[in-house]
Amino acid sequence: MHDLPPDPLPTPRELSAREEDGPGRYIRIVRAVDERKAWADLNWTGPLADYLDLVRGDPRLARSSWQRLYDMLVSWGTDPAPEGSGRPVHHRFFDDPLDAGRDAIFGLEAPLAQLVCHLKAAAHGLGAERRVLLLHGPVGSSKSTIARLLKRGLEAVSRQPEGAIYSYRWHVDGGVHDCPMREDPLHLLPPSARDDVYADLNRHFDGEYRLAPTGKLCPVCRFYYDRLMRESGGDFGAVERAIECYRFVFSEQDRVGIGTFQPKDEKNQDSTELTGDINYRLIAEYGSDSDPRAFNFDGEFHVANRGLVEFIEILKLDVAFLYDLLGATQEHAVKPKKFAQTDIDEVILGHTNSPEFRRLQNNELMEAFRDRTTRIDVPYNIRLSDEVRIYRKTFGGGGACAGRHLAPHALEAAAMWAVLTRLEEPKNHALTLAQKMYLYDGRPVKGFTPAALAELRAEAPAEGMTGVSPRFIQDRVAAALVADGAPPCLTGFDVLDSLDKGLLQHPLIDSEEQRRRYSDLVGVVREELEETLKDEVRASVAADVEAVQRLCCNYVDAVTAAVSGQGSPDERLMRGIEEKIGVTEARKGDFRREIVNYIDALSARGEAFTYLSNPRLRSALELKLFEDCRDTFKLTAGSSTVIDRDVQEKVAVVAGRLVRDKGYCERCAARVLERVAGLFARGDSKAPAEEAA
Ligand SMILES: Nc1ncnc2c1ncn2[C@@H]1O[C@H](COP(=O)(O)OP(=O)(O)OP(=O)(O)O)[C@@H](O)[C@H]1O
Ligand SMILES: [Mg+2]
């Protein structure tokens, strides 16, 4: 487990901070970056004997591609799952620590854990290393993101000492020839010596798995090796003298150790892209098309040797290619034209969408492929809070975005809709779809325990494999943000309007029924959002400590008067409060006496009574205060003309609290209050007393 490697060099930002402003500043920043030390480390060269000493000192150098990938991933450590959640551990690697979380994956612990298990089995040589790792899921479920993370992880670790990787080149015929597949120099060892070396390495290796030879020489190296042995009468020294080992780093851009294959249309697919091609210019030089020196071993399988090859849309591959893929998977070998099988050592990762996968399942010819594939389903998130994080990553945590203010709940509303489109209606009719979503998110739902969760999951195992992709949401939020003439704040309702509008153009919605269902779900989220806003306003009203305290004093005065039978207490006020917590007319006398006794007992101990002393009373007072205020809001909703100052002030105070405590700006706070006022005026809110009961 490690944190980000300490970087001995100052970052460009640190350098910029140091440099004075003025002409020449940027070139000074550039010149201050000194990469010579790092460069020397990464470009180490040396004779075979030195390399073998390096391996002796650090047997990890002899790892296979799967072992390297597995080690890289787990080196970032794990976080335990929340207690009782039943989730697997979280692998920190998927938080994208290498790029400040820009490509972080949220949620999806189960499929990611499955992926790590597969890598582990492959590292142990249990057969998983002879399978295509197939990420399967709906569009936009982060399959490419996972592949990108793995590739970048490999690149980064190859620059660190713990991920150093070496190959060799030949100094022959007056020239220098790199092994075209960047093989491990250990491939050069004569078979008899190789077994001894590996046995010894395994004695000293403290990894959890065993090291094993990763293959035999490629045709080019075999050619030089055999020739040198022949010419020297079997003297390995001749090979040794011709060899120079060197360190290299993985780089997708430079096509080193990381290959990517993207199928084009079927007519243009050409297997040479995978397994290399004859170099016709060199045939003339070497006189034969079966001379390995006249062949370009630069197919994606060769490029990715020792690292990882990614097949984008793997099932769009022409069948002819799939045979190459099968050999590469099962035998760890590819067959270039005119040459024998050539060993490779690389992780083969593919991804595909559901329609292609269904086609594969229905195709008997593809049985061999199916059999050599480990499929990992990568669904959409069905946990709301994870989905929100996707959009926070794109649009920021709230506040300004693209010159506009992203109001609280805007992204939550979008995420909520996204998740709802992915859920199946619960079989239990007592549970609404929205409640199911809250349960999945770990929130309490009245009448349901977390135990219900397992049952819900079991009745809908394919949940998350359909629904709307985060891309659509990202597009619609973006469209709403940059729309002409839009108000300065983007609220949840604006986002929902944008989603609803977008449904008309959504290319993946194929039936009117589906469109209607999605549109209805926008309505569901709208209602949820309204409830949330009402709660928020309610809480803001209750946060007016002075007002609650004032109301409390009035109540206590009235109750004291009523109990002692003196004066003329305000019966309406008392009942208004008591009814909020279900104190009946018959019980009111007892309740009031209890309060008075309680106050007396406190004062006997020298303590003062405040509304905080009694939770029941507190809740009653807050609800009453809110009810009074609600009338104020109703008033503002109803009147388009003059509102009296007192009302205006009350509203302003609540708005101020929304701004201070909840992340609203003045404008969106005003819009929320207007909306909530409208809701109260329509009288469709649940009465607070009912909720408290
Ligand atoms: N669970 C998730 N966590 C973080 N981001 C996600 C998640 N799911 C989707 N995304 C985001 O959705 C977008 C699409 O992701 P990506 O391109 O990786 O999907 P994909 O599965 O490869 O899609 P396709 O099948 O269309 O190629 C990206 O912006 C990605 O960051
Ligand atoms: Mg993709």
Side-chain angles (χ1 to χ4, degrees), residues 218-236:
C218 74
V220 178
C221 296
R222 227 175 111 82
F223 175 88
Y224 291 131
Y225 184 97
D226 287 349
R227 200 182 70 187
L228 285 167
M229 286 300 246
R230 214 170 36 243
E231 288 168 0
S232 65
D235 173 16
F236 185 74

Side-chain angles (χ1 to χ4, degrees), residues 44-58 61 166-167 185-186 240 243-246:
W44 178 94
T45 58
L48 182 63
D50 286 7
Y51 174 72
L52 293 178
D53 276 341
L54 289 179
V55 182
R56 208 177 65 89
D58 185 0
L61 293 179
Y166 295 78
S167 184
L186 292 177
E240 215 188 312
I243 288 295
E244 178 190 34
C245 296
Y246 65 91

Side-chain angles (χ1 to χ4, degrees), residues 229-409:
M229 286 300 246
R230 214 170 36 243
E231 288 168 0
S232 65
D235 173 16
F236 185 74
V239 171
E240 215 188 312
R241 282 188 295 279
I243 288 295
E244 178 190 34
C245 296
Y246 65 91
R247 180 172 172 186
F248 68 96
V249 294
F250 287 142
S251 160
E252 181 174 20
Q253 275 206 319
D254 296 333
R255 301 187 74 223
V256 177
I258 300 201
T260 310
F261 185 79
Q262 181 157 26
K264 300 172 202 71
D265 68 276
E266 279 173 22
K267 281 191 219 80
N268 284 325
Q269 288 190 20
D270 180 353
S271 72
T272 58
E273 277 185 56
L274 284 178
T275 51
D277 201 1
I278 293 165
N279 184 330
Y280 290 96
R281 194 178 54 79
L282 290 176
I283 292 175
E285 195 174 314
Y286 294 114
S288 156
D289 64 357
S290 57
D291 188 314
R293 292 170 300 174
F295 193 87
N296 291 336
F297 291 90
D298 64 353
E300 288 312 316
F301 279 129
H302 302 123
V303 163
N305 193 36
R306 312 197 62 195
L308 178 149
V309 62
E310 175 193 10
F311 283 86
I312 297 169
E313 297 293 350
I314 193 168
L315 297 179
K316 291 212 173 100
L317 268 185
D318 192 50
V319 180
F321 284 59
L322 285 170
Y323 290 113
D324 287 327
L325 191 61
L326 294 185
T329 310
Q330 186 64 41
E331 276 85 45
H332 282 195
V334 291
K335 167 121 187 32
K337 269 188 227 166
K338 300 243 171 197
F339 291 98
Q341 299 264 34
T342 306
D343 286 348
I344 55 167
D345 163 31
E346 61 202 62
V347 175
I348 301 178
L349 176 75
H351 36 100
T352 184
N353 295 139
S354 307
E356 263 89 34
F357 189 74
R358 274 195 297 275
R359 237 182 39 203
L360 168 76
Q361 277 180 314
N362 297 331
N363 184 347
E364 280 187 19
L365 292 174
M366 302 283 270
E367 206 169 317
F369 179 76
R370 279 207 305 266
D371 198 44
R372 287 167 176 77
T373 300
T374 298
R375 182 184 102 198
I376 294 181
D377 284 339
V378 183
Y380 295 132
N381 272 321
I382 51 173
R383 228 174 27 233
L384 177 59
S385 38
D386 291 331
E387 189 70 8
V388 172
R389 289 164 76 197
I390 299 182
Y391 308 125
R392 293 228 175 101
K393 187 173 70 173
T394 316
F395 300 106
C401 185
R404 296 183 62 201
H405 176 241
L406 209 53
H409 310 301

Side-chain angles (χ1 to χ4, degrees), residues 581 598 610-622:
I581 47 170
Y598 184 59
T610 77
Y611 75 96
L612 296 172
S613 313
N614 184 325
R616 264 189 96 201
L617 183 61
R618 175 186 177 174
S619 140
L621 291 167
E622 285 176 354

Side-chain angles (χ1 to χ4, degrees), residues 596-610:
V596 171
N597 290 345
Y598 184 59
I599 294 173
D600 288 348
L602 277 182
S603 84
R605 292 207 304 266
E607 290 171 30
F609 177 83
T610 77

Side-chain angles (χ1 to χ4, degrees), residues 473-493:
I473 311 283
Q474 287 163 337
D475 291 350
R476 293 315 301 169
V477 174
L481 271 170
V482 300
D484 279 340
C489 296
L490 188 76
T491 67
F493 297 107

